[in-house]
């Protein structure tokens, strides 16, 4: 998320750390004019801004740092300084080429960052701050994603525990993290507690907790009885009860928190100026649209072309060619959250068109192996189609009647022609 760097008189390298930051200021000729350290505190950042102001105005002092976000970066941007995010790997390679002895220090790294920014300013880009709406949306979206990952981990832990000590409780319902399954484990956390469970009690339990499945109490009870017998030792039974109830409590809390953040994501997406654009994409929904907008941001001019957006999302390959050797590799250096959001949208969009639905219906009957490739299938997402999102109004292909609008409509429909 960056733009071209303007000319500057001074270049500052900031070696970021948890508590103490090393700073080196260099002029346009490569002469070090100031070196100092600051604490990661309000007074330390204020002192940094004051000492940089002694050399020149904020726009004439470019600051290189090895991270693109954080409160320190935000405060420097608010002060008017061009902040240049640099790659730690690039700084490491630059240091190995400049320092032959292999010596390393915080002050030396700050000087290397300043030198790197001074000599490569024509290739670097300045960071662009996100708007408040985008920051708010990104906060709730990323927190929700982290909580979903935590819920998946807790679900796997509960499933592994039941497999080891009580397989029947896992076999009763299809999803071990479903509300009805958690209610069942709360009432019957151990095999001993379900020893006298019969068909009438099971039916009464299902009615009490509003079971909406299509299986009768007899079928569910048969699943419970057909599974391998659970642990019956007194000590293990007591420990199993405590562990199951603890994991159930964690899953309930995570499920409630995720639902609250779902509502928050939808609310912030509706308040965002670009929310309608992303929400109008085919089968993007609210959560996936919020994920794409939060990771993409609202600074369209920060990207040179749709290909740069696709590269940021890891949707374009990397070609390595030398002499007679040529290989195409998967792109690992990207925004991982953006890649998940964009590929999720591409996968969902294929359910919208007849080609995608036909491809889904042509899966093997035995459920083994990937579905066959359609002869007319094309890539799910073309990087050139990402230019559609640069528009400042929602996509409405069916209502477009002009020739140019029809072309845009066809390009929009290309987003939804996917393969598995």
């Amino acid at each position: 998320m960056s733009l071209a760097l303007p000319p500057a008189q001074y270049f500052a390298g900031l070696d970021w750390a948890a508590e103490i930051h090393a700073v080196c200021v260099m002029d346009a000729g490569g002469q070090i004019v100031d070196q100092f350290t600051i604490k990661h505190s309000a007074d330390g950042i204020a002192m940094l801004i004051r000492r940089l102001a002694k050399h020149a105005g904020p726009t004439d002092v470019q600051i290189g740092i090895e991270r693109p976000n954080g409160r320190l970066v935000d405060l420097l941007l608010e002060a008017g300084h061009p902040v240049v995010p640099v790659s730690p790997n690039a700084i490491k390679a630059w240091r190995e080429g400049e320092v032959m002895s292999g010596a390393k220090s915080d002050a030396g790294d700050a000087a290397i960052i300043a030198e790197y920014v001074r000599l490569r300013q024509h290739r670097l880009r300045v960071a662009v701050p996100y708007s408040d709406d985008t920051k708010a949306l990104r906060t709730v979206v990323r927190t929700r994603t982290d909580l979903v990952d935590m819920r998946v981990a807790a679900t796997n832990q509960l499933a592994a525990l039941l497999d080891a000590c009580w397989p029947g409780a896992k076999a009763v319902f299809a999803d071990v993290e479903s509300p009805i399954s958690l209610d069942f484990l709360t009432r019957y956390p151990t095999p001993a507690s379900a020893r006298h469970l019969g068909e009438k009690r099971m039916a009464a339990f299902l009615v009490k907790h509003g079971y909406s499945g299509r299986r009768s109490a007899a079928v569910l009870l048969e699943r419970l009885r057909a599974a391998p017998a659970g642990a019956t030792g007194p000590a293990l039974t007591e420990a199993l009860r405590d562990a199951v109830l603890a994991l159930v409590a964690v899953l309930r809390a995570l499920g409630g928190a995720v639902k609250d953040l779902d509502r928050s994501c939808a609310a912030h997406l509706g308040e965002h100026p670009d929310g309608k654009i992303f929400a109008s994409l085919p089968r993007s929904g609210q959560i996936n649209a919020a994920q794409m907008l939060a990771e993409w941001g609202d600074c369209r001019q920060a990207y040179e072309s749709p290909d740069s957006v696709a590269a940021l999302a890891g949707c374009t390959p990397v070609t390595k060619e030398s002499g007679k050797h040529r290989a195409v590799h998967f792109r690992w250096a990207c925004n991982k959250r953006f890649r998940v959001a964009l590929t999720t949208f591409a996968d969902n969009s294929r359910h919208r068109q007849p080609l995608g639905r036909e491809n889904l219906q042509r899966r093997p009957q035995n459920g083994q192996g990937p579905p066959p490739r359609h002869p007319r299938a094309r890539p799910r997402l073309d990087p050139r189609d990402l230019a559609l999102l640069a528009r400042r109004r929602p996509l409405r292909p069916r209502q477009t009647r002009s020739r140019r609008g029809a072309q845009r409509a066809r390009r929009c429909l290309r987003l939804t022609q996917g393969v598995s």
Side-chain angles (χ1 to χ4, degrees):
M1 305 292 290
S2 55
L3 296 173
L5 272 173
Q9 300 178 6
Y10 295 91
F11 307 90
L14 197 151
D15 184 60
W16 191 91
E19 298 180 357
I20 303 295
H21 308 301
V23 183
C24 177
V25 182
M26 189 176 296
D27 60 15
Q31 186 69 26
I32 297 177
V33 297
D34 197 0
Q35 278 186 309
F36 56 94
T37 59
I38 63 169
K39 293 183 178 180
H40 188 72
S41 62
D43 295 338
I45 298 176
M47 185 186 73
L48 169 63
I49 296 175
R50 288 195 304 268
R51 295 194 64 165
L52 293 178
K54 294 179 181 180
H55 301 285
T59 57
D60 290 331
V61 181
Q62 298 176 358
I63 302 176
I65 187 172
E66 292 179 312
R67 57 177 302 167
N69 51 23
R71 287 306 301 161
L72 176 59
V73 175
D74 294 339
L75 293 174
L76 291 174
L77 289 173
E78 292 174 4
H81 290 282
V83 177
V84 185
V86 296
S87 172
N89 292 335
I91 298 301
K92 179 181 178 181
W94 192 276
R95 181 177 61 248
E96 292 176 352
E98 294 291 329
V99 184
M100 299 302 178
S101 63
K104 183 183 182 303
S105 64
D106 294 342
D109 289 346
I112 290 175
I113 294 175
E115 182 76 6
Y116 182 83
V117 174
R118 184 182 71 87
L119 296 178
R120 294 185 59 83
Q121 58 177 324
H122 61 287
R123 300 295 300 273
L124 300 177
R125 300 292 183 267
V126 62
V128 177
Y130 289 101
S131 64
D132 291 339
D133 293 332
T134 303
K135 289 181 180 179
L137 184 62
R138 170 173 283 198
T139 299
V140 294
V141 164
R142 288 193 170 185
T143 304
R144 178 193 176 277
T145 302
D146 294 339
L147 291 182
V148 170
D149 293 339
M150 294 171 60
R151 184 177 62 182
V152 171
T155 302
N156 293 337
Q157 292 177 2
L158 178 60
L161 178 63
L162 295 178
D163 281 334
C165 299
W166 192 21
K170 181 184 175 183
V172 176
F173 301 100
D175 192 357
V176 72
E177 67 169 345
S178 62
I180 188 64
S181 180
L182 297 181
D183 292 335
F184 182 83
L185 292 174
T186 302
R187 178 62 182 85
Y188 305 102
T190 62
S193 61
R195 182 179 303 131
H196 302 291
L197 180 62
E199 185 175 346
K200 292 184 178 180
R201 289 187 178 182
M202 175 64 80
F205 171 83
L206 297 178
V207 173
K208 179 180 178 181
H209 295 280
Y211 176 63
S212 58
R214 300 180 180 180
R215 301 295 183 267
S216 63
V219 173
L220 297 179
L221 192 62
E222 176 62 23
R223 293 179 180 179
L224 179 65
R225 302 306 184 200
T232 57
L236 183 56
T237 298
E238 182 179 358
L240 177 62
R241 182 189 66 238
D242 296 339
V244 168
L245 293 179
L247 289 174
V248 167
V250 170
L251 285 173
R252 288 186 187 277
L254 290 175
V258 170
K259 289 183 179 179
D260 293 339
L261 288 178
D262 287 343
R263 292 189 288 268
S264 180
C265 289
H268 285 286
L269 179 66
E271 297 173 357
H272 199 284
D274 294 342
K276 293 183 179 179
I277 300 176
F278 285 81
S280 66
L281 295 174
R283 294 188 68 91
S284 63
Q286 291 183 326
I287 300 302
N288 186 230
Q291 291 173 341
M292 289 190 291
L293 177 54
E295 300 302 331
W296 193 328
D298 50 7
C299 184
R300 299 293 181 268
Q301 63 272 21
Y303 302 98
E304 297 178 356
S305 64
D307 291 335
S308 62
V309 182
L312 176 66
C315 295
T316 56
V318 177
T319 303
K320 295 183 179 180
E321 186 174 1
S322 177
K324 297 182 179 180
H325 175 76
R326 185 178 184 274
V328 180
H329 300 274
F330 182 79
R331 181 178 293 273
W332 294 102
C334 67
N335 185 336
K336 307 301 189 299
R337 296 176 184 267
F338 192 19
R339 175 162 59 195
V340 172
L342 206 58
T343 53
T344 299
F345 161 68
D347 180 67
N348 292 339
S349 65
R350 65 192 174 97
H351 297 270
R352 178 71 175 268
Q353 294 300 311
L355 178 60
R357 290 197 297 268
E358 179 184 353
N359 197 14
L360 288 176
Q361 295 173 359
R362 297 174 68 244
R363 291 182 180 273
Q365 297 296 329
N366 56 5
Q368 298 180 358
R373 184 178 179 88
H374 196 278
R376 300 189 310 275
R378 50 184 307 280
R380 285 193 296 239
L381 190 65
D382 192 327
R384 294 173 295 179
D385 298 327
L386 299 177
L388 291 169
L389 298 185
R391 303 168 71 244
R392 287 295 177 179
R393 58 183 183 275
L395 300 173
R396 299 183 182 275
R398 294 185 179 180
Q399 299 179 4
T400 306
R401 297 181 181 179
S402 63
R403 181 177 180 180
R404 181 176 299 179
Q407 294 177 354
R408 292 179 179 175
R410 287 193 295 269
R411 288 184 60 80
C412 179
L413 292 178
R414 290 176 60 191
L415 281 168
T416 64
Q417 296 176 351
V419 298
S420 60

